[in-house]
Amino acid sequence: DENFLIENGISDFRDLSAFVPNARIDANGTLPQLSIRGFNAHPLNRAFEQAISLVVDGVTYGTSPFFQTPLYDIGRVEVLRGPQGTLYGRNTIGGAIKYVTAKMDDEPDLKAKVNFGSYGQFDTIVSGSVPLSDTFKVGGAIASYQRDGYGENLFTGADHYDKDVLAYRASAEWSPTDSLFF
């Protein structure tokens, strides 16, 4: 859940591999290498279906570059091992990583987080929500991740492993009854 992720400093999918048995998430340059129970997702080979999918709030992303998605405004992360084709499509024979955003509060809410680190790392995350009625809420989040590269291409002079990501999301929740939630 969200508290576990915050307490353990988990900010992206690569940090999860220390806490999830039989899962390995490594960085290969800027693209992640993902393996669950021996099934691999290869980021550079687009000719093949990926064995592992990312599912964000019920929407399946089958290509591994989506595993670079930063974790912000999160309710929980689920690592589903084994074939998940019935729920998430044909390209999930190795499993799926399910990312579920946090539910909105009943009161107006605004959260902000700033991270500093080596190599000029400066991350800012702002999220908030507002109930428009007893049953309908709207919210959103924006995250900026910045870091200078720590390697240099000697031929071109370009930085390697730098990060310049701007991510955002808008959300709406509707609960017309206690047993229905959209």
Side-chain angles (χ1 to χ4, degrees):
D1 71 344
E2 182 179 13
N3 293 330
F4 179 82
L5 298 172
I6 292 170
E7 290 169 5
N8 291 290
I10 298 172
S11 61
D12 65 19
F13 287 108
R14 286 175 287 199
D15 298 334
L16 286 175
S17 60
F19 299 95
V20 180
N22 299 321
R24 182 174 176 170
I25 305 168
D26 293 324
N28 176 15
T30 57
L31 293 175
Q33 293 280 8
L34 179 64
S35 174
I36 297 177
R37 295 179 57 217
F39 289 94
N40 298 309
H42 298 285
L44 299 177
N45 194 345
R46 298 191 188 270
F48 294 103
E49 294 274 348
Q50 299 296 324
I52 302 163
S53 288
L54 171 67
V55 180
V56 180
D57 287 337
V59 178
T60 302
Y61 299 94
T63 58
S64 60
F66 284 104
F67 287 105
Q68 297 178 93
T69 303
L71 300 177
Y72 62 95
D73 196 26
I74 186 165
R76 68 182 186 273
V77 175
E78 300 173 5
V79 178
L80 308 172
R81 296 180 192 90
Q84 302 295 322
T86 302
L87 296 174
Y88 302 114
R90 68 179 183 260
N91 56 345
T92 55
I93 61 169
I97 295 183
K98 187 176 176 183
Y99 168 39
V100 181
T101 56
K103 286 193 174 186
M104 296 181 212
D105 291 334
D106 291 331
E107 300 293 323
D109 182 42
L110 181 64
K111 298 176 188 170
K113 179 180 176 184
V114 177
N115 295 328
F116 296 97
S118 58
Y119 300 102
Q121 177 187 356
F122 182 69
D123 302 337
T124 55
I125 304 160
V126 178
S127 63
S129 64
V130 176
L132 298 179
S133 72
D134 290 340
T135 61
F136 189 72
K137 304 169 194 165
V138 295
I142 187 165
S144 172
Y145 297 89
Q146 306 289 323
R147 186 187 68 222
D148 297 331
Y150 52 87
E152 182 179 344
N153 183 322
L154 298 178
F155 183 71
T156 65
D159 283 337
H160 285 284
Y161 309 107
D162 58 340
K163 188 185 275 190
D164 184 12
V165 175
L166 178 64
Y168 54 90
R169 181 182 60 250
S171 306
E173 290 181 3
W174 181 43
S175 301
T177 68
D178 290 340
S179 59
L180 285 176
F181 176 80
F182 299 97

